[in-house]
Amino acid sequence: MGLVLRDESPALMRDFLREVGECAVIDGGLATELEANGADLNDPLWSAKCLISSPHLIRKVHLDYLKAGANVIITSSYQATIQGFMSRGFTSEESEALLRKSVEIACEARELFYEELNESDKNIEKRKPSILVAASVGSYGAYLADGSEYSGIYCKEMTLEKLKEFHRRRVEVLAESGADLIAFETIPNKLEAQAYAELLEEGNINTPAWFSFNSKDGVNVVSGDSMVECASIADACKKVIAVGINCTPPRFIEGLILSIKKVTEKPILIYPNSGERYDADKKEWVVCTGVTDEDFVSYVRAWHEAGARLIGGCCRTTPRTIGGISKALRTE
C-alpha cells in the first residue's frame, strides 16, 4: 500500500489505520538491534554505516520487526546524509544512491515478508496486511554525531535557511525513492520543525510525512521549546499526516499525547525509547536506567486510550517489545 498525497491528506493515515484495526504498530529500535545482530556502529554514520558494509543486516532487522507484528517499518536513513557520505569520500551521486538504497532494503524486506506469508497461506493475497515504509530523516544534530539531537542546542548557531539548505536535497531524494511517507524523527527544536514544514510546502514533494519530537521532561521538546508550539507547526503543514513523539522515556508519553491533542486532530504516533539514559559524551547507554519489555508493554493500553493511533518503540526496544505491543493492541 502506498499513500498518495492530496488535499485531505490526514484522511490518508486514517484510511490506513482503519485497514490495520484502528491502531498501527511501528517497528522498534534499529541501531541497537543491528548491534545485537553483530554490527559495529562506532562510527559517525551510526546505523547508516550498514548501508555500506552490511545491508543484509538491515534487511534482517526489518524482517524481524515485520514478523513481530509491525505495520510500519522505518528506514536506516536517520543518520544518512549526503554531506555525511561525501565526507567519507563518496560522490554526491553515490550519496544519493545510498539514501535510495535505505528505502529499497525496507521495500525488499516487505516483499520477503509477503512471500513468506504466501508460502504459509495461499489465500493471503486476499487479506495481505497493509505495511508502510517510512523514510527516516534525522535532525541536523544527528549528522553532527555529537548527541546534540538530544539537546537541539545547535539551533543557536543555525538559521532557518541554513537548515533548509542542509536538508533540502536529502528530503527530495527520499520523497522520490518509493517510500510511502517521510518520517521526520527526533525533532529537538522548533526551528528545525519549521524548516521541515517549509521544505514540504515549498518543494514539489508529493510524499506525505509525519513529525515526531523528543522530550526529556514530559512538557517541552529537548531544546526547551514548547511541545505544544512544535506540534502546532506540524498541524499547520498540510503535508504532515501524523504528529507525535519518539525517543522519549515511557513515563512521559501519556501526558505528551494529551498536550498534542490540544492542538491537532491529526493521528498521534508514539514510539518511546526503553527509558534508558544515553550518555552523549561516552556514546553509550547507561545500564539499568530503563524499563523491562513487560513494563513497556503495560503502558500500551493507556497510550491508546489517551489517543495514540500508531505505537512502537525507539532506541533499545526489540522485536520482542514490538511483538508485545502488537499482542496488547490486538487483544484490547
Side-chain angles (χ1 to χ4, degrees), residues 86-99:
M86 290 181 69
S87 72
R88 299 292 286 272
F90 292 93
T91 66
S92 59
E93 292 78 10
E94 290 169 336
S95 301
E96 290 182 10
L98 285 167
L99 284 174

Side-chain angles (χ1 to χ4, degrees), residues 30-41 57 60-61 318-319:
L30 178 63
T32 47
E33 196 61 20
L34 286 169
E35 289 176 321
N37 279 272
D40 177 7
L41 303 186
L57 288 183
K60 178 185 182 300
V61 173
T318 69

Side-chain angles (χ1 to χ4, degrees), residues 2-44:
L3 300 180
V4 180
L5 197 63
R6 57 180 190 266
D7 289 341
E8 64 273 22
S9 57
L12 298 175
M13 182 58 79
R14 294 192 180 94
D15 291 345
F16 166 68
L17 292 173
R18 191 160 45 246
E19 288 182 22
V20 298
E22 300 303 336
C23 191
V25 179
I26 304 173
D27 63 7
L30 178 63
T32 47
E33 196 61 20
L34 286 169
E35 289 176 321
N37 279 272
D40 177 7
L41 303 186
N42 186 21
D43 190 283

